[in-house]
Amino acid sequence: MFRERGFAATTTRELADAVGIRGPSLYHHFETKDDLLFGVCQESLRRLAEATRAVEAEPDPRARLVALIDAHVTAIVRDRDLHAAMLIEMRALSGERLRAVIWGRDNHEALVQRSIQYAQEAGVLGSEHSARELSLALLNLLNWTVIWFDPAGPITAPQFARLLASIFLDGTAARVSRRIA
Amino acid sequence: MFRERGFAATTTRELADAVGIRGPSLYHHFETKDDLLFGVCQESLRRLAEATRAVEAEPDPRARLVALIDAHVTAIVRDRDLHAAMLIEMRALSGERLRAVIWGRDNHEALVQRSIQYAQEAGVLGSEHSARELSLALLNLLNWTVIWFDPAGPITAPQFARLLASIFLDGTAARVSRRIA
DNA sequence: GTCTATAAAGAGATAGAC
DNA sequence: GTCTATCTCTTTATAGAC
């Protein structure tokens, strides 16, 4: 519901209805509505961290990036409600809690940037652009998926992850022209 | 304010304050709060259409895509509040109005897909993936910019547009490894 | 075109019974 | 752990003076 309609537009009563209880009963499980969003964001970050925990153990720089892209896209698609809430509705938090979520998100983005730098140092990725810029571009490529991806649609998550990885790592979109050149 | 805090979380009084009038005075200019969002979405789509109106006059398929990517990114960054509201807060609309905005957005996405197909037919882009899939990937690459881009930051819009275009069209990220291969 | 005053509805949250 | 009843505050929006 946070993904479809937004956090502010979703009432506690609607949330309660969705789990088959009355509005006030929610407050036995959460102190405030903000608590609920904070919990969702934390769980999103926990799963994202868990899904990508192993990638830095992969020594091959290219395989590491492929694994990272696959883990990120697969996680985002599997729990898209959760991750959309974190990525988009995060802004509704404030103070300590907002900082905690931003810290977790930055942590994940740092993993992406490190993996890119690792690939650049190994010559797998070009160094015309900084790791920072390339990581912003890669996160663009990955994150917007959360807005539109439909698990019931024709594309599967691993398929789409492969497409994004081959565009970023191999320049797949441009393959034909590069062959001719 | 719609971009920073979301449509539902922004009150009409805050909007009025921001333009130096009292809450109820807003209603001289707009019938409802939804009207305001609808107007914002329409203006976003109008500017996006205007910015990309000329690209299909460009006969060179590669130059057409470069122009489209540049126009899209530049527009999104220049009026990021407007376009973020359209892309993210759209969901707050309903009925006829939601349909109208979706129609406009789909129209723009169709332009992206046509430009990709045109490039594929000319051999500038590979045909391993469908134009549909490639356009989803390209829109990913372009649209997430609206979430994080800071005009006061170190990167300029045309710079970032060039980066994204060279990743998508040339496989720039992978350039070194492809040279070696 | 903006104001003050206010209506009407809905929001998050609490109290206390069961 | 969930309920009903309800409090309190905020919200969108209207009425009508200036």
Side-chain angles (χ1 to χ4, degrees), chain B residues 13-74:
Chain B
R13 281 180 180 79
E14 291 171 328
L15 292 166
D17 279 356
V19 293
I21 59 178
R22 300 299 188 120
S25 302
L26 261 192
Y27 288 84
H28 178 76
H29 304 278
F30 299 94
E31 285 199 9
T32 67
K33 194 188 171 193
D34 273 20
D35 261 356
L36 191 50
L37 177 59
F38 184 55
V40 163
C41 289
Q42 281 186 307
E43 179 63 12
S44 158
L45 290 166
R46 200 192 62 73
R47 291 195 197 179
L48 218 46
E50 188 192 310
T52 55
R53 192 156 32 87
V55 303
E56 291 197 299
E58 169 61 55
D60 180 64
R62 190 196 144 81
R64 183 183 294 187
L65 269 173
V66 169
L68 177 56
I69 290 169
D70 182 71
H72 188 111
V73 172
T74 304

Side-chain angles (χ1 to χ4, degrees), chain A residues 58-181:
Chain A
E58 168 62 56
D60 180 64
R62 189 195 145 82
R64 184 184 294 187
L65 270 173
V66 169
L68 177 56
I69 290 168
D70 182 70
H72 188 111
V73 171
T74 304
I76 264 183
V77 165
R78 181 189 305 117
D79 307 307
R80 76 181 157 145
D81 299 328
L82 200 69
H83 298 296
M86 187 272 288
L87 288 165
I88 305 292
E89 303 302 328
M90 214 181 86
R91 62 185 174 190
L93 297 172
S94 60
E96 194 83 10
R97 294 175 153 185
L98 178 58
R99 272 193 296 279
V101 174
I102 288 176
W103 182 86
R105 182 204 58 184
D106 287 353
N107 231 31
H108 179 70
E109 294 188 2
L111 168 62
V112 173
Q113 189 171 327
R114 280 198 307 278
S115 303
I116 283 174
Q117 198 164 1
Y118 184 64
Q120 283 182 316
E121 285 161 3
V124 168
L125 285 187
S127 294
E128 297 92 336
H129 299 281
S130 66
R132 167 81 183 141
E133 284 174 316
L134 285 181
S135 70
L136 287 171
L138 179 54
L139 285 163
N140 265 23
L141 200 54
L142 303 179
N143 281 339
W144 191 255
T145 310
V146 94
I147 301 291
W148 61 267
F149 194 94
D150 179 6
I155 314 174
T156 70
Q159 251 175 24
F160 195 62
R162 268 196 299 279
L163 169 61
L164 298 185
S166 77
I167 286 174
F168 191 76
L169 291 170
D170 304 323
T172 287
R175 192 178 289 170
V176 170
S177 75
R178 291 179 62 76
R179 276 205 191 118
I180 290 168

Side-chain angles (χ1 to χ4, degrees), chain A residues 40-53 82-83:
Chain A
V40 163
C41 289
Q42 280 186 308
E43 179 63 12
S44 157
L45 289 166
R46 199 191 63 72
R47 292 194 197 179
L48 217 47
E50 188 191 309
T52 55
R53 192 156 32 87
L82 200 69
H83 298 296

Side-chain angles (χ1 to χ4, degrees), chain B:
Chain B
M1 297 167 81
F2 288 168
R3 178 182 60 79
E4 285 175 357
R5 324 200 12 222
F7 173 72
T10 306
T11 71
T12 53
R13 281 180 180 79
E14 291 171 328
L15 292 166
D17 279 356
V19 293
I21 59 178
R22 300 299 188 120
S25 302
L26 261 192
Y27 288 84
H28 178 76
H29 304 278
F30 299 94
E31 285 199 9
T32 67
K33 194 188 171 193
D34 273 20
D35 261 356
L36 191 50
L37 177 59
F38 184 55
V40 163
C41 289
Q42 281 186 307
E43 179 63 12
S44 158
L45 290 166
R46 200 192 62 73
R47 291 195 197 179
L48 218 46
E50 188 192 310
T52 55
R53 192 156 32 87
V55 303
E56 291 197 299
E58 169 61 55
D60 180 64
R62 190 196 144 81
R64 183 183 294 187
L65 269 173
V66 169
L68 177 56
I69 290 169
D70 182 71
H72 188 111
V73 172
T74 304
I76 263 184
V77 166
R78 181 189 305 116
D79 306 308
R80 77 183 156 143
D81 299 330
L82 200 68
H83 298 295
M86 187 271 289
L87 288 166
I88 305 291
E89 304 302 327
M90 213 182 88
R91 62 187 174 189
L93 297 172
S94 60
E96 193 84 11
R97 292 176 155 186
L98 178 58
R99 272 193 295 280
V101 174
I102 288 176
W103 182 86
R105 183 204 58 183
D106 288 352
N107 231 31
H108 179 68
E109 295 188 2
L111 168 61
V112 172
Q113 190 171 327
R114 280 199 307 277
S115 303
I116 284 175
Q117 197 165 3
Y118 184 64
Q120 284 182 316
E121 285 160 3
V124 167
L125 285 186
S127 294
E128 296 93 336
H129 298 280
S130 66
R132 168 80 182 140
E133 285 174 315
L134 285 181
S135 71
L136 287 171
L138 179 54
L139 285 163
N140 264 22
L141 200 55
L142 304 178
N143 280 340
W144 190 256
T145 311
V146 93
I147 301 290
W148 60 267
F149 194 94
D150 178 6
I155 314 173
T156 70
Q159 252 174 23
F160 195 63
R162 269 195 299 278
L163 169 61
L164 298 184
S166 76
I167 286 175
F168 190 77
L169 292 170
D170 304 324
T172 288
R175 192 177 289 168
V176 170
S177 75
R178 290 178 62 74
R179 276 202 192 125
I180 291 169

